[in-house]
Amino acid sequence: MRHAMKAPFIALAVALLPSPALAETLISNVNGIQVGADGKLQHFGSVLIGDDGRVEAVISTASPRVKKYDQLIDGGGRTLLPGFIDAHGHVLGLGFSALQLDLVGTSSLEDLQNRLKDYAAAHPDARWIVGRGWNQELWPVKKFPTAADLDAVVPDRPVVLERVDGHAVVANSAAMKAAGVTGATQAPSGGRIEDGLFVDNATELVTKAVPEPTEAEYDRAFAKAQQILLGYGITSVGSMSTALDDWNAMKRAGESGRLRVRFMVYADELKLLAEVPKPTPWLFGDHLRMVGIKFYADGALGSRGAWLKQPYADKLDTRGLRFHSDEELLKLADTAASHGFQIATHAIGDAANAQVISVYEQMSKEYGADRRWRIEHFQVVDPADIPRLKPAGIIASMQPTHQTSDRLMAEARLGPDRLNGAYAWRTVEKLGIPLAFGTDFPVESPNPFPGLSAAISRQDMNGQPPGGWIPSERLDFSQALAAYTRGAAYAGFADERIGSLEPGKWADFVIVDRDPSTADQQSLARIEVLQTWIAGKKAWERPSSAAAPERGK
Ligand SMILES: [Zn+2]
C-alpha cells in the first residue's frame, strides 16, 4: 500500500506475483453515505476492501469485528462518499485549457506583461505561448494591448493571447511572422487588424498558425486533466466528443500505467469508426473503454444556436440552428448503433430534443431494449415531449450548473412562458427517467459540489435567486447524489463496476471535509475533497490535509 500509486494494474499484479503485493484493507470509523439501489440514502461506518481493489463489504458499524484484514485505516469520523462520476466532460479540453496562460482578472497591461514573462520562463519548451482571459476594460488605461507590448516581454517565441470573450486576440511579432501576416495583410469582412490586435473574423489569420499539439503535449494535458479531476473527487468520466488524438493519448497513458481516473469514452461523431469500429472491452483494469458515439442535433442557447420550436423571444427572426434532417440523424444513429455503439446526442433546444426523441423512438423499435440512448443536456424541452423518454429507454444527461450559469440568459432567449420544461430535473425524476449528472467541463468547473447544491436549491453559489429558480424542479439530496454516482454509471454502461460501494464493485471513493447530506446549500457548494481513492488505493490527497480535523457543520 505504501507504493500504491505505482501499481495501477491490480489484476495483473495479483496474477503475476507469487504472493499478493496488496492486501485486505479495513477503513473504519467513517461517516459513510451513499445512495442504495432503492434510491434511499444509506449510512455506513466502515468498508472492507479486498486485495484486488474491489469492495468486499460495506459495514454499518464504525468499529466492526472483522475476521481478518492486513491493514486498518482509521477514517477519523470523516465523511466518505462513492467517487463522483461526471457523465459529460471534455477531458483534453480541460487539460489544455489548464495548461494555457491564464489572464483572467489581469488588472493592467503591466500585470498581463508580468504574467506572460513568468509563464514564458516557467515553460521554456512551449513552442507557442497561448493564453486567454484578458479584458482591457478592467485596466486603468482601457487601451487594447499591441504586438509591441508583447514583444517587449517575449520577442523570440510566438505569443497569442485571446480576450476574455473570445472575440479578439493579440499576437506578438513572432506569431504574426509565423502566420504570414504582414503590413499588407487585409482583414476579412467582419474582422479588423490593428497593431497586432485581431478582431472577430480576423482572429483566424493568426490562430490558424498555432501548431497542433505534439504527443508529448497531449500527454501533459491528459495528466493535468486527471490531476484536476482527482482533486474534485471525480473518479470516472463520460469523455464526450473524443477525437482520435485524445483517444490515443488515453491509450498511451494506459499502456504506460498512467491511467488513474476511469473513462467511458464517446467518439466524436463517426470520425473514429475506421480506427475503432466497435466498442472496446474495458481496458487497463477497467480504466478505459470506448463505449459510444456522440452526435450534435443543434448548437447552444447563448449564441442562439439551440434549435427551438418557436422563434427566440429576444430575436424573433430566428429559431436557431438545425444540424441534421430527421433522415440524416436517423442514418447517423443507425450507423453507430449497427456497429454496437451506445449513442449520445447533444440537444439543447425543444425542437432538437423532440427530433432526437423521435429518432430514438424509431431506434428502440429496431434495436430493442437496453441500448441506453442518451440525450446530452436535455436543456429546453417541451413538457409534452418529456414523457416520451421512459418508454423508449432514453437517459437524460444533464448539468446542474448550466442552470445557474444560464438562468438570466435563458429567460431572455425564451421569455417567461417557455421555461416549464427547462432544466426540468424533478419532472425527469418523477417520470422515472434515468438521470445522469455532469458538468460539461471545461465549460463549467468539474467540481461536483456546486452542481449538487444547484440541484437541490436551484440557486447559484451566492444563493441567487432567493427561493430558487423554478423551485418546483428542485431535487432531494439523495436524488442529486444518485445522478452523480449510480445514474452516471448506468448512463455509461458501467453500473456493474462503479457508482456505489457494494461487494464486487471497485473501491472508488472520496473523503470530504463535511457531511453533504446535512450541509446547507451554501456550504454544500463549498465542500472540499480531502482524499480520492481508486480501486482501494489513495490516488490523490489534498496537500497538508492529513492532519486537518473535520470541519464544523
Ligand atoms: Zn459538452
Side-chain angles (χ1 to χ4, degrees):
M1 283 303 288
R2 285 181 301 282
H3 302 292
M5 294 295 303
K6 291 183 181 159
F9 302 120
I10 302 131
L12 193 67
V14 170
L16 296 182
L17 295 174
S19 63
L22 303 168
E24 281 187 311
T25 302
L26 178 67
I27 301 188
S28 69
N29 190 24
V30 295
N31 173 35
I33 299 167
Q34 66 174 342
V35 182
D38 59 0
K40 296 207 176 77
L41 272 195
Q42 269 179 10
H43 296 269
F44 53 92
S46 0
V47 186
L48 183 65
I49 302 165
D51 57 11
D52 58 357
R54 295 176 200 264
V55 175
E56 281 192 359
V58 175
I59 306 156
S60 58
T61 55
S63 30
R65 283 197 279 158
V66 173
K67 52 177 180 24
K68 64 170 178 77
Y69 49 81
D70 305 280
Q71 190 188 18
L72 175 67
I73 295 174
D74 184 338
R78 286 175 178 156
T79 297
L80 185 152
L81 308 162
F84 287 94
I85 305 172
D86 193 312
H88 181 127
H90 301 272
V91 180
L92 272 298
L94 178 69
F96 280 118
S97 62
L99 290 177
Q100 285 185 0
L101 168 58
D102 180 10
L103 296 170
V104 171
T106 42
S107 57
S108 64
L109 175 62
E110 294 69 44
D111 186 19
L112 178 147
Q113 288 174 315
N114 287 333
R115 291 199 206 183
L116 174 57
K117 187 196 281 176
D118 293 346
Y119 184 91
H123 297 83
D125 299 336
R127 292 167 297 161
W128 280 59
I129 294 173
V130 179
R132 69 167 304 279
W134 57 271
N135 181 358
Q136 85 291 347
E137 290 296 317
L138 305 175
W139 299 350
V141 181
K142 298 178 184 12
K143 202 171 98 36
F144 282 112
T146 65
D149 294 331
L150 308 190
D151 290 344
V153 185
V154 181
D156 51 339
R157 273 186 284 171
V159 178
V160 286
L161 308 176
E162 192 179 57
R163 193 173 184 277
V164 66
D165 63 0
H167 284 274
V169 297
V170 60
N172 70 351
S173 298
M176 289 192 283
K177 188 168 173 227
V181 174
T182 66
T185 302
Q186 294 287 314
S189 74
R192 174 160 68 87
I193 309 173
E194 50 187 56
D195 298 335
L197 185 81
F198 296 74
V199 181
D200 283 327
N201 289 350
T203 56
E204 264 231 337
L205 289 175
V206 63
T207 55
K208 70 173 183 348
V210 178
E212 288 295 311
T214 61
E215 276 193 7
E217 286 165 343
Y218 267 95
D219 292 347
R220 209 145 53 216
F222 184 64
K224 182 77 181 173
Q226 290 197 96
Q227 186 194 348
I228 294 169
L229 293 167
L230 290 171
Y232 286 123
I234 307 290
T235 53
S236 300
V237 166
S239 168
M240 286 295 150
S241 304
T242 307
L244 184 60
D245 288 332
D246 303 6
W247 171 247
N248 286 337
M250 292 172 171
K251 280 201 307 189
R252 279 197 300 278
E255 280 149 13
S256 57
R258 290 179 286 110
L259 270 177
R260 304 169 74 198
V261 174
R262 305 184 194 279
F263 296 96
M264 301 163 276
V265 177
Y266 296 80
D268 186 14
E269 307 198 307
L270 299 176
K271 290 170 199 160
L272 274 66
L273 212 50
E275 288 84 3
V276 191
K278 60 184 192 346
T280 70
W282 277 101
L283 306 168
F284 309 114
D286 285 1
H287 274 73
L288 186 66
R289 184 184 180 210
M290 178 74 80
V291 62
I293 292 187
K294 159 111 177 282
F295 297 108
Y296 286 82
D298 66 346
L301 199 57
S303 51
R304 297 191 188 83
W307 176 30
L308 301 179
K309 291 187 175 185
Q310 302 298 326
Y312 278 82
D314 57 356
K315 199 168 188 301
L316 293 170
D317 61 354
T318 181
R319 290 173 45 203
L321 300 174
R322 170 190 193 144
F323 281 18
H324 301 288
S325 70
D326 297 354
E327 298 70 38
E328 259 170 31
L329 189 60
L330 184 63
K331 187 151 185 287
L332 288 171
D334 192 50
T335 302
S338 69
H339 285 250
F341 287 107
Q342 189 188 12
I343 297 164
T345 310
H346 163 120
I348 304 260
D350 52 7
N353 274 287
Q355 182 190 41
V356 176
I357 294 167
S358 296
V359 165
Y360 285 167
E361 283 171 342
Q362 294 187 54
M363 299 285 290
S364 69
K365 276 182 214 138
E366 191 181 337
Y367 288 94
D370 207 26
R371 295 298 292 248
R372 303 192 195 180
W373 321 109
R374 296 174 53 142
I375 299 185
E376 302 306 311
H377 309 305
F378 199 62
Q379 225 165 66
V380 178
V381 188
D382 184 336
D385 288 327
I386 303 180
R388 298 168 61 195
L389 268 69
K390 175 88 176 166
I394 304 172
I395 295 168
S397 165
M398 304 177 75
Q399 299 77 30
T401 45
H402 282 350
Q403 182 268 302
T404 47
S405 304
D406 293 358
R407 171 173 62 92
L408 297 174
M409 180 269 289
E411 285 178 355
R413 298 284 180 276
L414 300 167
D417 303 328
R418 285 189 289 168
L419 296 172
N420 277 336
Y423 313 87
W425 312 317
R426 184 84 190 200
T427 302
V428 165
E429 170 73 31
K430 269 199 300 225
L431 288 166
I433 297 160
L435 179 62
F437 275 166
T439 60
D440 202 10
F441 64 76
V443 176
E444 308 271 1
S445 161
N447 186 351
F449 289 100
L452 280 175
S453 172
I456 64 163
S457 69
R458 308 281 285 190
Q459 290 174 319
D460 65 18
M461 294 280 285
N462 304 312
Q464 291 301 317
W469 189 73
I470 317 182
S472 57
E473 292 294 349
R474 283 189 298 224
L475 293 178
D476 299 339
F477 174 75
S478 59
Q479 294 166 334
L481 183 62
Y484 257 119
T485 52
R486 281 183 174 277
Y490 177 84
F493 276 105
D495 45 320
E496 287 178 359
R497 291 171 167 79
I498 53 174
S500 60
L501 298 169
E502 289 175 68
K505 291 195 188 180
W506 289 110
D508 296 354
F509 58 88
V510 297
I511 294 173
V512 298
D513 69 349
R514 76 194 98 169
D515 184 339
S517 68
T518 56
D520 62 54
Q521 179 257 332
Q522 293 276 327
S523 37
L524 172 54
R526 289 167 176 81
I527 285 180
E528 290 192 336
V529 172
L530 303 177
Q531 295 176 11
T532 302
W533 291 60
I534 294 183
K537 293 183 291 178
K538 198 191 290 174
W540 183 88
E541 183 164 26
R542 182 166 295 280
S544 79
S545 75
E550 173 123 346
R551 278 197 214 162
K553 288 169 184 169

